[in-house]
Amino acid sequence: MGIELIMLGTGHAMVTKCYNTCFLLKKEDEYLMVDSGGGNGIMSQLEKLGVPYTDIHNLIVTHGHTDHILGAIWIIRKIAMMMTAKQYPGKFTIYCHDEVVKTIQTFCELLFPKKFLKFIGDGIYIQEVTDGEQLDIMGIKTEFFDIQSTKKKQFGFKFTFDDGKTLACLGDEPYNEANKQYIQNCDWMLSEAYCLYADREKFKPYKKHHSTALDAGKCAEKLNIKNLLLYHTEDTNLENRKKLYTDEAKSVFSGNVFVPYDLEKIRIK
């Protein structure tokens, strides 16, 4: 059974030449969405891919920053509208920590008419997850962990597939040693790389609690990762980003490096 990762967006919060970082995990004909970008551009990305909302029944929101959470409001609105018209079969579940639960509920209460609000808790479920909690999502063992952010509470997660292969998502901040048990020896590690190390003085990633492609490569090598995927980058040189970021990470990492463009598809297993 194949698993495919589809990047909906690959940029950081303030990019204008690509979409904010979020992605789909495709298993057979069903999709799990992870984060949603900063607005209704998420609908455009799904339209470009030809992904029907009726095939998306699960969404993980890692944290409450604008570039990760606001697109979820549009997804909820769209699905509620489809439920009103009896065009969406089954349920839609959002997995997130307590602070994000409160934020999403507040947005919905402030912005949605009653005809859409009635589906929150009755067809559309906002499910709180806790640090260390394990769930089965779409037939995939999913473990959530607090990344110990000093900015805003954020959860990462680890997928374990039916063949034992693993994928760890660090969210949009650098690896924290507290989460070693979830990350070490994974087949895939998804990591932010705000910029190149060579450009650190220009973009100042460390002041923003981010890292560089070189830092991510060093981390992946230390943790014995097989495949490193870099995203959440600046967008000033998209044409050459793939080569430049790959080369920098590969200079210190012996595994495979992927630096995808928006809408790019990558076979995970």
Side-chain angles (χ1 to χ4, degrees):
M1 181 185 301
I3 301 286
E4 191 173 53
L5 188 146
I6 307 171
M7 294 306 307
L8 292 166
T10 56
H12 65 55
M14 301 304 289
V15 294
T16 58
K17 300 176 182 66
C18 57
Y19 192 58
N20 309 126
T21 293
C22 52
F23 61 90
L24 295 168
L25 195 77
K26 182 182 181 184
K27 179 183 176 185
E28 297 181 339
D29 294 325
E30 190 172 359
Y31 298 85
L32 164 64
M33 182 182 290
V34 177
D35 288 334
S36 54
N40 73 346
I42 187 65
M43 301 173 74
S44 175
Q45 298 302 84
L46 291 172
E47 184 176 289
K48 290 171 186 174
L49 288 166
V51 173
Y53 293 88
T54 50
D55 290 346
I56 304 172
H57 289 275
N58 299 281
L59 166 64
I60 293 173
V61 180
T62 58
H63 62 296
H65 285 164
T66 55
D67 56 319
H68 295 263
I69 195 172
L70 291 183
I73 307 306
W74 290 93
I75 296 294
I76 296 168
R77 185 187 190 280
K78 175 67 174 181
I79 289 175
M81 185 173 69
M82 295 177 70
M83 286 182 170
T84 300
K86 302 188 184 305
Q87 295 174 344
Y88 186 91
K91 65 179 182 176
F92 179 66
T93 306
I94 303 161
Y95 302 91
C96 50
H97 61 66
D98 56 346
E99 293 181 8
V100 174
V101 169
K102 183 178 179 180
T103 301
I104 292 176
Q105 288 175 336
T106 300
F107 271 121
C108 291
E109 290 167 3
L110 289 173
L111 301 174
F112 289 174
K114 290 182 179 179
K115 65 179 180 179
F116 294 160
L117 274 177
K118 70 178 184 179
F119 293 107
I120 306 298
D122 186 15
I124 298 174
Y125 301 93
I126 308 171
Q127 180 170 333
E128 180 184 339
V129 296
T130 56
D131 183 27
E133 184 171 358
Q134 297 182 14
L135 294 173
D136 183 298
I137 303 177
M138 212 168 72
I140 301 168
K141 179 184 175 183
T142 307
E143 300 173 84
F144 293 93
F145 55 87
D146 191 329
I147 71 166
Q148 308 297 321
S149 173
T150 57
K151 290 195 302 182
K152 193 173 185 66
K153 186 175 181 179
Q154 181 174 171
F155 276 14
F157 57 85
K158 176 182 178 181
F159 290 144
T160 302
F161 302 107
D162 52 9
D163 62 354
K165 290 189 181 300
T166 50
L167 179 151
C169 174
L170 305 184
D172 75 350
E173 292 192 24
Y175 164 75
N176 188 307
E177 193 71 19
N179 296 312
K180 184 176 181 179
Q181 62 176 311
Y182 300 105
I183 314 300
Q184 190 170 36
N185 301 318
C186 277
D187 294 285
W188 289 84
M189 184 174 85
L190 277 51
S191 172
E192 58 84 31
Y194 196 84
C195 65
L196 297 169
Y197 185 77
D199 292 333
R200 66 193 183 282
E201 293 303 321
K202 176 181 179 182
F203 294 107
K204 304 188 185 310
Y206 306 127
K207 288 185 177 181
K208 301 179 177 76
H209 299 260
H210 291 307
S211 62
T212 69
L214 187 73
D215 299 322
K218 288 180 178 178
C219 178
E221 183 70 16
K222 180 179 70 172
L223 291 169
N224 192 36
I225 303 298
K226 297 180 179 64
N227 301 282
L228 173 64
L229 190 149
L230 302 179
Y231 54 29
H232 204 270
T233 77
E234 47 82 24
D235 65 344
T236 59
N237 191 4
L238 281 182
E239 182 179 352
N240 298 306
R241 181 182 65 177
K242 186 184 289 284
K243 176 175 173 31
L244 292 172
Y245 280 62
T246 299
D247 288 350
E248 185 168 280
K250 285 288 289 180
S251 71
V252 291
F253 175 56
S254 56
N256 302 311
V257 177
F258 298 83
V259 184
Y261 290 114
D262 288 12
L263 308 182
E264 188 169 335
K265 301 177 181 180
I266 298 170
R267 190 67 170 240
I268 298 298
K269 61 179 284 292

